[in-house]
């Protein structure tokens, strides 16, 4: 099914958001290409400046990467390393909480924001590059949400049926 | 050779096809490159190409022509590729973003079902009028036509001047509820006209009340914009075509196919309604044929390369959709109602990589046929490839041999892409594809008929289009149609339909006449007066349009229609008024009875709800004048046994698990009266009729095949 394969260039444009609308529409309307994860992971790898192999993308700027010693850690695309992937990276990030009207009104028109007694907005930033990594809107007392606990081995073995990426020997 | 009779022109984006039909209903098709700047050049080239096949010339034959009908895609292309006039728009102050935002459903019109529910794919196209050319003026009229805020005339000049300064080429004026109170729009129109004249500009003005005075603001505004944006530029093209034809000796009024299923003059006031004429040609042809054959209810089915189109003729009338969409815009035009699904012979066949099941379309190879066409560059299997594998179509005689198909390529592609992944033999996989297509079409056809409140046993099924007859048996099997008819000229049926369309204008006007169940005589008479006034006004429009072609009062046959619903319900019904004028209370009772009869038919008798009271929501007038129409072939009956010359030999065809030697016939050589059993394939240049096991066919004296399912 030749017409379902997208090369690295197209997937990179998809990530960049520079595809024409009709290309995007075709892509969305078609069956998902079987090798998408493989290509997508490779494109992501090409886009970052470091060599640790990406195991799984974890957000707009975050990845789970494999270290030489076999550790799987959460890493920002700027190179900042957070923690083991089974831990919640958010507790290692810089956190800004919008919990009063003044802070809410920086991003919402007046009277359009939630009542901070009921809901606060927590923003998580990379301590190195200051990229906004995640935002959660929760009741004030709510614990920091642990978004995702992937079973990487099963995902590779049973879902995408690919070998796990390995650290390149230098 | 008989005399040329009717010329039907189909000017597509790349090719201009001309169909010239003679007295016997035989036709030739000419093709030439479309010349978008001067369409008449393409038309004349195409006509020459057609007539050469009859060894004659334009000069000899054109004076014989009795009628000419044009349909073209130029307007639609202008819309789709957004290359129309620079249009300015005048709206109510405060609603200037209305057109830009568009109706929500415009973001997914024309999408497949799976995309409709996949909201990420939804997308609004560029508005026809950008925000910077939209101005607002203050006024407000409520839905009953009461002026709530008068027109602020002092705002009008400034607003219009802004548009003139922006150098627009046309101005559309659309105010809320103007269909019930047109005065404000017309006042703005008059002020604008004066200003444009004073400034010596050439800007045409379109007030919605003058063009499409019907309810639904987005629809009315869109339609009037389409009129200015896409239709107006075609006037000159059409005039040039007419001129070129007359210079070649024709003496008829060139007409254009319009969305309501009739043809109108190229000088008609409203041209936007000719935008969507293409696919309805077949429906119009089917109506003409069924009228002549005395068949009241017909389900029309047309399979082309890209889609399956079905529409119904009920009680001798085409169903009309009053707010259709086109080029992803909601419009207020009466359009012959048709349902389309993206499943044709060119549809791509794929295995869903996630679930491993077979899927068809919705995209297709269209005229490129499939992998079997070596020059197409197509790599994905299409339904046509499966036909080739199964032996249903002759690879050496496709479109009369103009495209040589490769069975080898088709076989390999079906094997690699479909059969191997499914673990089937190539033949079983290909047969499975055709069965899947047919069962999809069958479900679609059945659900459409049942959804309208009818049953297939009340209908005859017409099948035409290049791919229709190949699958007719499959998609009608078991539905119990009264009869299944396949005109032997199935492939050119759309063109035949264009030639068979009446010269007919249709005008619609929205009304809001609400009457309680037990309305007083006074209330009924007041409503009747308003209804009659609307009919008179619309008859005036129809009469005026016909005058442009020098038809006068007595030449025009009028038909009056009304739209009615129970008060508060959402859908109204369009019904022909069984009265010739509204004179008294008994006429009202007649209209109510006609409405409730129709309501019973479409919904159920138990759903009748007179206690809600009635609303008359619209008046419609259709006016027809007599024009020459093509003759339906009429030939003497011969014996049931087909003549030797029609028999082309035998071919192996794979059918339901085995290879069968099928009899192959040439469609044109068969004679009326011939009866053909299974397994047979009747070939023509542009279509193939398959008579599978369990069926037989009979060619009648009108050269129409009747496909009959044999009882087991």
């Amino acid at each position: 099914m030749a017409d379902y394969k997208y090369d690295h260039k197209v997937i990179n444009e998809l990530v960049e958001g520079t595809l024409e609308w009709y290309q995007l529409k075709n892509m969305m309307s078609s069956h998902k290409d079987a090798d998408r994860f493989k290509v997508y992971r490779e494109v992501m790898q090409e886009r970052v400046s470091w060599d640790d192999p990406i195991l799984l993308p974890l957000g707009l700027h975050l990845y789970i990467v494999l270290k030489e010693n076999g550790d799987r850690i959460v890493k920002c695309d700027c190179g900042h390393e957070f923690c083991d992937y089974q831990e919640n990276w958010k507790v290692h990030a810089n956190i800004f909480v919008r919990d009063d009207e003044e802070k809410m009104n920086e991003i919402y028109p007046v009277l359009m924001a939630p009542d901070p007694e009921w809901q606060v907005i927590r923003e998580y930033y990379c301590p190195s590059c200051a990229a906004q990594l995640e935002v959660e809107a929760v009741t004030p007392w709510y614990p920091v949400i642990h978004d995702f606990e992937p079973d990487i081995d099963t995902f590779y073995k049973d879902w995408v049926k690919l070998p796990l990426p390995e650290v390149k020997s230098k | 050779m008989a005399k040329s009779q009717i010329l039907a022109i189909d000017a597509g984006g790349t090719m201009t096809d001309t169909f010239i039909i003679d007295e016997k209903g035989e036709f030739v098709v000419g093709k030439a490159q479309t010349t978008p700047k001067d369409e008449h050049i393409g038309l004349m080239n195409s006509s020459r190409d057609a007539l050469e096949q009859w060894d004659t010339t334009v000069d000899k034959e054109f004076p014989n022509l009795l009628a000419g009908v044009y349909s073209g895609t130029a307007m639609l292309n202008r819309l789709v590729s957004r290359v129309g006039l620079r249009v300015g728009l005048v709206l109510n102050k405060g609603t200037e973003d209305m057109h830009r935002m568009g109706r929500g459903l415009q973001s997914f019109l024309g999408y497949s079902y799976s995309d409709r529910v996949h909201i990420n794919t939804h997308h609004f196209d560029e508005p026809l009028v950008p925000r910077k050319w939209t101005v607002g003026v203050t006024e407000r009229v409520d839905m009953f036509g009461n002026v709530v805020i008068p027109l602020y005339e002092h705002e009008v000049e400034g607003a219009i001047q802004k548009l003139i300064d922006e150098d627009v080429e046309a101005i559309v004026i659309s105010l809320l509820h103007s269909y019930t109170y047109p005065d404000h729009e017309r006042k703005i129109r008059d002020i604008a006209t004066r200003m444009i004249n004073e400034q010596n500009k050439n800007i045409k003005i379109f007030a919605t009340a003058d063009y499409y005075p019907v309810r639904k603001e987005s629809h009315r505004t869109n339609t009037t914009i389409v009129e200015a944006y896409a239709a107006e530029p075609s006037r000159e093209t059409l005039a040039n075509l007419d001129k070129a034809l007359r210079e070649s000796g024709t003496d008829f009024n060139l007409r254009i196919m319009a969305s309501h299923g009739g043809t109108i003059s190229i000088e008609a006031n409203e041209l936007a309604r000719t935008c969507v004429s293409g696919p309805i040609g077949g429906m119009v042809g089917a109506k003409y044929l069924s009228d002549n054959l005395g068949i009241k209810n017909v389900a029309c089915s047309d399979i082309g390369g890209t889609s399956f189109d079905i529409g119904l003729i009920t009680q001798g009338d085409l169903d009309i959709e009053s707010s259709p969409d086109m080029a992803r815009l909601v419009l207020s035009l009466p359009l012959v109602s048709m349902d389309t699904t993206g499943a044709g012979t060119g549809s791509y066949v794929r295995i869903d990589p996630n679930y491993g099941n077979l899927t068809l379309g919705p995209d297709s190879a269209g005229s490129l046929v499939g992998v079997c066409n070596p020059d197409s560059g197509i790599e994905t299997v299409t339904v046509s490839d499966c036909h080739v594998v199964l032996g249903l179509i002759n690879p050496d005689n496709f479109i009369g041999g103009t495209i040589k198909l490769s069975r080898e390529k088709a076989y390999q592609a079906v094997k690699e892409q479909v059969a191997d992944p499914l673990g089937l033999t190539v033949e079983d996989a290909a047969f499975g594809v055709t069965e899947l297509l047919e069962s999809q079409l069958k479900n679609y056809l059945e659900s459409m008929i049942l959804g309208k409140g009818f049953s297939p046993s009340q209908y005859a099924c017409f099948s035409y289009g290049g791919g229709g007859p190949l699958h007719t048996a499959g998609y009608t099997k078991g539905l119990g149609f009264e009869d299944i008819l396949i005109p032997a000229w199935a492939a050119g049926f759309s063109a035949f339909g264009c030639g068979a369309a009446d010269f007919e204008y249709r005008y619609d006007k929205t009304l809001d006449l609400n009457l309680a169940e037990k309305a007083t005589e006074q209330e009924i008479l007041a409503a009747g007066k308003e209804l009659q006034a609307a009919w008179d006004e619309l008859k005036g429009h129809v009469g005026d349009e016909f005058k442009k072609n020098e038809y006068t009062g007595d030449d025009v046959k009028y038909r009056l229609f009304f739209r009615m619903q129970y008060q508060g319900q959402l859908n109204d019904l369009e019904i022909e008024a069984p009265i010739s004028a509204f004179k008294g209370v008994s006429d009202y009772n007649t209209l109510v009875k006609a409405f409730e009869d129709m309501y019973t038919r479409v919904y159920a008798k138990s759903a009748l709800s007179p206690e809600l009271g009635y609303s008359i929501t619209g008046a419609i007038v259709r006016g027809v004048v007599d024009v020459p129409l093509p003759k339906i072939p009429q030939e003497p009956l011969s014996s049931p046994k087909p003549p030797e010359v029609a028999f082309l030999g035998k071919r192996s065809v794979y059918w339901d698990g085995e290879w069968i030697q099928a009899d192959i016939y040439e469609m044109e050589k068969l004679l009326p009266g011939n009866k053909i059993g299974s397994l047979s394939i009747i070939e023509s240049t542009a279509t193939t009729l398959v008579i599978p096991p369990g069926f037989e066919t009979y060619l009648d004296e009108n050269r129409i095949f009747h496909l009959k399912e044999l009882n087991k």
Side-chain angles (χ1 to χ4, degrees), chain B residues 364-382:
Chain B
S364 77
S367 58
L368 293 174
V369 191
V371 183
C372 57
N373 177 6
D375 303 327
S376 66
I378 301 280
E379 289 178 4
T380 305
V381 170
T382 66

mmCIF file of all heavy atoms in Angstrom, chain B residues 364-382:
data_model
loop_
_atom_site.group_PDB
_atom_site.id
_atom_site.type_symbol
_atom_site.label_atom_id
_atom_site.label_comp_id
_atom_site.label_asym_id
_atom_site.label_seq_id
_atom_site.Cartn_x
_atom_site.Cartn_y
_atom_site.Cartn_z
ATOM 1 N N SER B 364 -11.122 7.473 -5.094
ATOM 2 C CA SER B 364 -11.140 6.564 -6.231
ATOM 3 C C SER B 364 -10.199 7.007 -7.329
ATOM 4 O O SER B 364 -9.733 8.146 -7.349
ATOM 5 C CB SER B 364 -12.560 6.488 -6.803
ATOM 6 O OG SER B 364 -12.809 7.637 -7.566
ATOM 7 N N ALA B 365 -9.930 6.082 -8.219
ATOM 8 C CA ALA B 365 -9.064 6.375 -9.358
ATOM 9 C C ALA B 365 -9.835 7.103 -10.452
ATOM 10 O O ALA B 365 -9.248 7.595 -11.410
ATOM 11 C CB ALA B 365 -8.483 5.078 -9.901
ATOM 12 N N GLY B 366 -11.153 7.193 -10.306
ATOM 13 C CA GLY B 366 -11.982 7.920 -11.273
ATOM 14 C C GLY B 366 -11.765 7.405 -12.683
ATOM 15 O O GLY B 366 -11.782 6.200 -12.923
ATOM 16 N N SER B 367 -11.505 8.326 -13.594
ATOM 17 C CA SER B 367 -11.417 7.939 -15.000
ATOM 18 C C SER B 367 -10.126 7.176 -15.302
ATOM 19 O O SER B 367 -9.947 6.667 -16.399
ATOM 20 C CB SER B 367 -11.504 9.177 -15.885
ATOM 21 O OG SER B 367 -10.462 10.064 -15.530
ATOM 22 N N LEU B 368 -9.228 7.087 -14.343
ATOM 23 C CA LEU B 368 -7.982 6.365 -14.591
ATOM 24 C C LEU B 368 -8.150 4.853 -14.441
ATOM 25 O O LEU B 368 -7.211 4.097 -14.659
ATOM 26 C CB LEU B 368 -6.883 6.863 -13.650
ATOM 27 C CG LEU B 368 -6.435 8.307 -13.891
ATOM 28 C CD1 LEU B 368 -5.459 8.754 -12.824
ATOM 29 C CD2 LEU B 368 -5.819 8.462 -15.269
ATOM 30 N N VAL B 369 -9.334 4.424 -14.052
ATOM 31 C CA VAL B 369 -9.748 3.015 -14.003
ATOM 32 C C VAL B 369 -9.109 2.211 -12.858
ATOM 33 O O VAL B 369 -9.781 1.801 -11.937
ATOM 34 C CB VAL B 369 -9.524 2.262 -15.334
ATOM 35 C CG1 VAL B 369 -10.214 0.912 -15.286
ATOM 36 C CG2 VAL B 369 -10.072 3.089 -16.508
ATOM 37 N N GLY B 370 -7.805 2.002 -12.932
ATOM 38 C CA GLY B 370 -7.174 1.193 -11.895
ATOM 39 C C GLY B 370 -5.793 0.731 -12.295
ATOM 40 O O GLY B 370 -5.239 1.189 -13.302
ATOM 41 N N VAL B 371 -5.240 -0.196 -11.506
ATOM 42 C CA VAL B 371 -3.897 -0.715 -11.789
ATOM 43 C C VAL B 371 -3.866 -1.365 -13.168
ATOM 44 O O VAL B 371 -2.847 -1.337 -13.861
ATOM 45 C CB VAL B 371 -3.492 -1.757 -10.721
ATOM 46 C CG1 VAL B 371 -2.085 -2.251 -10.959
ATOM 47 C CG2 VAL B 371 -3.617 -1.169 -9.329
ATOM 48 N N CYS B 372 -5.002 -1.944 -13.581
ATOM 49 C CA CYS B 372 -5.072 -2.636 -14.864
ATOM 50 C C CYS B 372 -4.836 -1.703 -16.053
ATOM 51 O O CYS B 372 -4.567 -2.156 -17.155
ATOM 52 C CB CYS B 372 -6.434 -3.327 -15.009
ATOM 53 S SG CYS B 372 -7.813 -2.175 -14.865
ATOM 54 N N ASN B 373 -4.966 -0.391 -15.812
ATOM 55 C CA ASN B 373 -4.693 0.577 -16.875
ATOM 56 C C ASN B 373 -3.221 0.940 -16.808
ATOM 57 O O ASN B 373 -2.799 1.689 -15.940
ATOM 58 C CB ASN B 373 -5.584 1.810 -16.685
ATOM 59 C CG ASN B 373 -5.298 2.894 -17.706
ATOM 60 O OD1 ASN B 373 -4.505 2.709 -18.633
ATOM 61 N ND2 ASN B 373 -5.944 4.033 -17.527
ATOM 62 N N PRO B 374 -2.402 0.409 -17.724
ATOM 63 C CA PRO B 374 -0.943 0.545 -17.595
ATOM 64 C C PRO B 374 -0.475 1.998 -17.617
ATOM 65 O O PRO B 374 0.563 2.313 -17.062
ATOM 66 C CB PRO B 374 -0.404 -0.211 -18.815
ATOM 67 C CG PRO B 374 -1.541 -1.022 -19.328
ATOM 68 C CD PRO B 374 -2.783 -0.312 -18.944
ATOM 69 N N ASP B 375 -1.246 2.895 -18.235
ATOM 70 C CA ASP B 375 -0.791 4.275 -18.348
ATOM 71 C C ASP B 375 -1.237 5.149 -17.185
ATOM 72 O O ASP B 375 -0.948 6.335 -17.150
ATOM 73 C CB ASP B 375 -1.320 4.905 -19.651
ATOM 74 C CG ASP B 375 -0.885 4.106 -20.859
ATOM 75 O OD1 ASP B 375 0.223 3.534 -20.801
ATOM 76 O OD2 ASP B 375 -1.655 4.037 -21.836
ATOM 77 N N SER B 376 -1.979 4.552 -16.250
ATOM 78 C CA SER B 376 -2.612 5.395 -15.235
ATOM 79 C C SER B 376 -1.670 5.789 -14.118
ATOM 80 O O SER B 376 -1.851 6.818 -13.480
ATOM 81 C CB SER B 376 -3.798 4.653 -14.629
ATOM 82 O OG SER B 376 -3.332 3.529 -13.906
ATOM 83 N N GLY B 377 -0.658 4.972 -13.858
ATOM 84 C CA GLY B 377 0.198 5.236 -12.712
ATOM 85 C C GLY B 377 -0.459 4.873 -11.394
ATOM 86 O O GLY B 377 0.077 5.151 -10.326
ATOM 87 N N ILE B 378 -1.652 4.273 -11.448
ATOM 88 C CA ILE B 378 -2.369 3.898 -10.232
ATOM 89 C C ILE B 378 -1.701 2.657 -9.627
ATOM 90 O O ILE B 378 -1.354 1.718 -10.340
ATOM 91 C CB ILE B 378 -3.848 3.576 -10.562
ATOM 92 C CG1 ILE B 378 -4.527 4.781 -11.193
ATOM 93 C CG2 ILE B 378 -4.593 3.075 -9.324
ATOM 94 C CD1 ILE B 378 -4.969 5.838 -10.258
ATOM 95 N N GLU B 379 -1.530 2.677 -8.312
ATOM 96 C CA GLU B 379 -0.883 1.533 -7.668
ATOM 97 C C GLU B 379 -1.812 0.787 -6.719
ATOM 98 O O GLU B 379 -1.500 -0.320 -6.284
ATOM 99 C CB GLU B 379 0.349 2.019 -6.896
ATOM 100 C CG GLU B 379 1.480 2.453 -7.815
ATOM 101 C CD GLU B 379 2.677 2.973 -7.046
ATOM 102 O OE1 GLU B 379 2.665 2.919 -5.807
ATOM 103 O OE2 GLU B 379 3.616 3.453 -7.706
ATOM 104 N N THR B 380 -2.930 1.408 -6.360
ATOM 105 C CA THR B 380 -3.846 0.759 -5.421
ATOM 106 C C THR B 380 -4.973 0.076 -6.198
ATOM 107 O O THR B 380 -5.497 0.641 -7.159
ATOM 108 C CB THR B 380 -4.435 1.801 -4.455
ATOM 109 O OG1 THR B 380 -3.361 2.494 -3.832
ATOM 110 C CG2 THR B 380 -5.283 1.142 -3.387
ATOM 111 N N VAL B 381 -5.313 -1.109 -5.758
ATOM 112 C CA VAL B 381 -6.354 -1.891 -6.427
ATOM 113 C C VAL B 381 -7.687 -1.138 -6.429
ATOM 114 O O VAL B 381 -8.048 -0.504 -5.445
ATOM 115 C CB VAL B 381 -6.537 -3.242 -5.703
ATOM 116 C CG1 VAL B 381 -7.769 -3.978 -6.194
ATOM 117 C CG2 VAL B 381 -5.300 -4.098 -5.876
ATOM 118 N N THR B 382 -8.395 -1.195 -7.551
ATOM 119 C CA THR B 382 -9.732 -0.619 -7.617
ATOM 120 C C THR B 382 -10.742 -1.731 -7.899
ATOM 121 O O THR B 382 -10.353 -2.858 -8.239
ATOM 122 C CB THR B 382 -9.852 0.428 -8.739
ATOM 123 O OG1 THR B 382 -9.701 -0.246 -9.990
ATOM 124 C CG2 THR B 382 -8.803 1.517 -8.613
#
